[in-house]
Amino acid sequence: MDDVKPTPRLPRLLVIAQLPPPLHGAAVVSSMAISSPHLHAAFTVDVIPVRMAENLEQLRHFSLKKIMRSLLLYVTVARRLITHLRPSLIYLTLTPRGFGFFRDVGLVMWFRAFRIPHAFHMHGRGVKLQSTRSILYRALYRFVFAEARVIVMSERLYADVARFVSRERTYVVPNGIADYPSNQEIGNLLSDRQQNSVPTLLFLSSMLLSKGPLVFLEALQLLASRNLPFNAVFAGSWRGSITPDYFNARVMAAGLSNCVRHVGLVHSDNKRQLFRDADIFVLPTDYENEAFPLVVLEAYAYGLPAVTSNVAGLPDIVLEDQTGFLIPPNDTRQLADKLQRLILDPALRIRLGKEARQHFEARYTSDEFGRNLSSSLQLILSNVPTTLHNTSL
């Protein structure tokens, strides 16, 4: 009888990541990561969730509860490192600035003290900007990134950390999404959209000034002045200086009350229905923390062409005249001109929508994300200096 070979022991991966609740982009992607079969095939995965708030509003503000939860997180991580089998690699969703960054500095101190290799997954921007504003941040970034490997979501996003991390220590893993319709449903949607004589334009994001809702509204006013047919839907929570009364007054002053509506914050089935009912997705963002917005991938998944700004990682997502159009931030006229092309040319809308869906299937599914993340983490582990692998307390 042949000898049975023992199953090789998998390296241990300790994941310290933001997980729902509350529901936001980084938490969604982290949930997808820890459930990926590709990751579990390559590693023994141990998870410590980072939960600082119950809702998005609490997440944006400092509180004593966050301090208490951070201290509890430190204790949990320390106990895990002391009493459990030593991880081969630690994966942290690093917050680039604010309270979350200072909390994460404390975690990195533990990683460095225990001499454990660590990789940071950057889900937002802010390092480059903050390092120009604050000597303290610059010093802390040098400490935090000194021994780390870094995962960014787009080649263009490397610029945010380039001052502190060499390109050789940086890995690119585009985001993905897990919830998307079947090819049969997409075929039916595209067939129905060919018949739409009055296309629906969808803005789905926070109603924050820098996300571009007023830029979009001004572009709609230009389209109306050109006697172009459209309906426009705004979906998202109110934030910052834009209030319901202010927005509605702007809509009325523009003479767009009959073709523009705001439907509030949407989730799940309501969100899916908005994508089904739309013909064009619009996101004229100039948000300073914008990185790799999942909502554009969701629009692609539903076969929608996207018109968005050429900022952050968006030029790596939107292929000009193939899956949509890119415009300079805050350029109302260019936005109106691109939308006019799509409104007047249903065949162009359908072609770009088909290519957007194909681009999504090739690069942005949850399976592709899990495969890329697992491969990158394995590569990171194989490139870690042996002094870090073998050192113990």
Side-chain angles (χ1 to χ4, degrees):
M1 181 181 294
D2 295 336
D3 292 337
V4 178
K5 294 182 179 180
T7 303
R9 182 177 296 175
L10 296 176
R12 301 187 71 87
L13 177 69
L14 175 59
V15 175
I16 306 174
Q18 301 171 55
L19 297 173
L23 193 66
H24 55 87
V28 170
V29 174
S30 295
S31 296
M32 189 167 53
I34 63 174
S35 62
S36 169
H38 298 288
L39 201 65
H40 287 272
F43 296 93
T44 297
V45 181
D46 191 15
V47 179
I48 298 177
V50 177
R51 294 192 177 100
M52 295 290 120
E54 282 78 31
N55 57 59
L56 290 176
E57 192 60 33
Q58 291 179 5
L59 200 62
R60 299 183 187 110
H61 300 289
F62 174 78
S63 68
L64 290 177
K65 183 179 289 187
K66 284 187 178 181
I67 294 179
M68 297 304 297
R69 291 186 176 187
S70 297
L71 294 174
L72 180 60
L73 177 63
Y74 292 155
V75 171
T76 302
V77 171
R79 291 179 61 185
R80 196 71 56 96
L81 297 181
I82 293 170
T83 62
H84 284 60
L85 291 174
R86 174 187 173 89
S88 307
L89 179 66
I90 296 176
Y91 167 93
L92 171 69
T93 53
L94 183 77
T95 305
R97 63 182 186 172
F99 173 82
F101 172 70
F102 291 105
R103 176 202 65 220
D104 290 348
V105 170
L107 293 174
V108 176
M109 289 179 180
W110 279 117
F111 308 162
R112 297 278 294 271
F114 280 82
R115 302 294 294 163
I116 298 177
H118 43 281
F120 303 147
H121 200 155
M122 308 300 295
H123 287 289
R125 287 190 303 163
V127 171
K128 182 179 180 179
L129 180 64
Q130 204 66 31
S131 68
T132 64
R133 293 176 172 175
S134 167
I135 295 175
L136 174 61
Y137 267 96
R138 280 201 300 276
L140 290 175
Y141 286 142
R142 289 191 187 100
F143 169 78
V144 164
F145 289 115
E147 297 179 1
R149 271 57 181 170
V150 174
I151 298 170
V152 295
M153 298 173 290
S154 156
E155 187 64 48
R156 293 171 187 266
L157 294 175
Y158 169 63
D160 195 53
V161 297
R163 182 174 182 176
F164 304 99
V165 187
S166 68
R167 186 61 187 83
E168 292 72 26
R169 290 193 288 126
T170 308
Y171 301 77
V172 177
V173 178
N175 275 345
I177 59 172
D179 180 19
Y180 52 91
S182 67
N183 284 325
Q184 180 177 351
E185 181 178 352
I186 291 300
N188 293 336
L189 287 174
L190 291 173
S191 177
D192 292 342
R193 287 171 188 160
Q194 285 181 317
Q195 315 305 318
N196 288 349
S197 58
V198 181
T200 296
L201 285 55
L202 174 64
F203 173 94
L204 201 162
S205 185
S206 297
M207 295 292 288
L208 184 68
L209 184 62
S210 58
K211 286 285 189 174
L214 297 187
V215 174
F216 182 32
L217 189 62
E218 290 167 4
L220 295 176
Q221 190 172 5
L222 278 177
L223 294 174
S225 71
R226 300 172 186 175
N227 295 316
L228 294 170
F230 63 84
N231 289 308
V233 176
F234 291 75
S237 58
W238 303 103
R239 284 185 60 190
S241 60
I242 302 180
T243 63
D245 288 344
Y246 176 78
F247 181 77
N248 290 332
R250 289 287 301 266
V251 171
M252 291 184 64
L256 298 174
S257 299
N258 292 333
C259 57
V260 171
R261 62 193 177 103
H262 179 265
V263 297
L265 183 64
V266 293
H267 293 297
S268 305
D269 289 343
N270 291 333
K271 184 178 182 180
R272 297 184 192 102
Q273 194 59 49
L274 286 181
F275 283 123
R276 292 188 183 100
D277 293 342
D279 296 277
I280 304 164
F281 180 76
V282 186
L283 185 67
T285 178
D286 194 26
Y287 181 48
E288 67 177 8
N289 292 336
E290 200 72 82
F292 201 87
L294 289 177
V295 68
V296 179
L297 308 187
E298 293 175 301
Y300 278 8
Y302 280 84
L304 295 176
V307 182
T308 186
S309 308
N310 57 352
V311 299
L314 283 163
D316 288 331
I317 304 174
V318 178
L319 307 180
E320 183 71 16
D321 207 24
Q322 296 180 53
T323 65
F325 297 111
L326 293 163
I327 60 164
N330 301 308
D331 194 324
T332 301
R333 186 164 297 279
Q334 278 209 45
L335 176 57
D337 291 345
K338 298 297 186 183
L339 292 174
Q340 178 173 329
R341 282 189 63 188
L342 292 169
I343 290 170
L344 294 177
D345 192 343
L348 178 63
R349 294 199 304 266
I350 298 302
R351 176 177 68 80
L352 268 57
K354 285 181 178 178
E355 293 197 32
R357 170 67 183 205
Q358 291 167 3
H359 190 50
F360 164 77
E361 290 178 342
R363 291 182 58 85
Y364 302 126
T365 64
S366 56
D367 186 69
E368 190 67 16
F369 166 77
R371 182 183 292 107
N372 290 335
L373 178 62
S374 177
S375 297
S376 294
L377 291 175
Q378 291 177 75
L379 191 58
I380 287 171
L381 192 56
S382 69
N383 289 332
V384 167
T386 55
T387 52
L388 285 183
H389 276 306
N390 299 329
T391 303
S392 59
L393 288 180

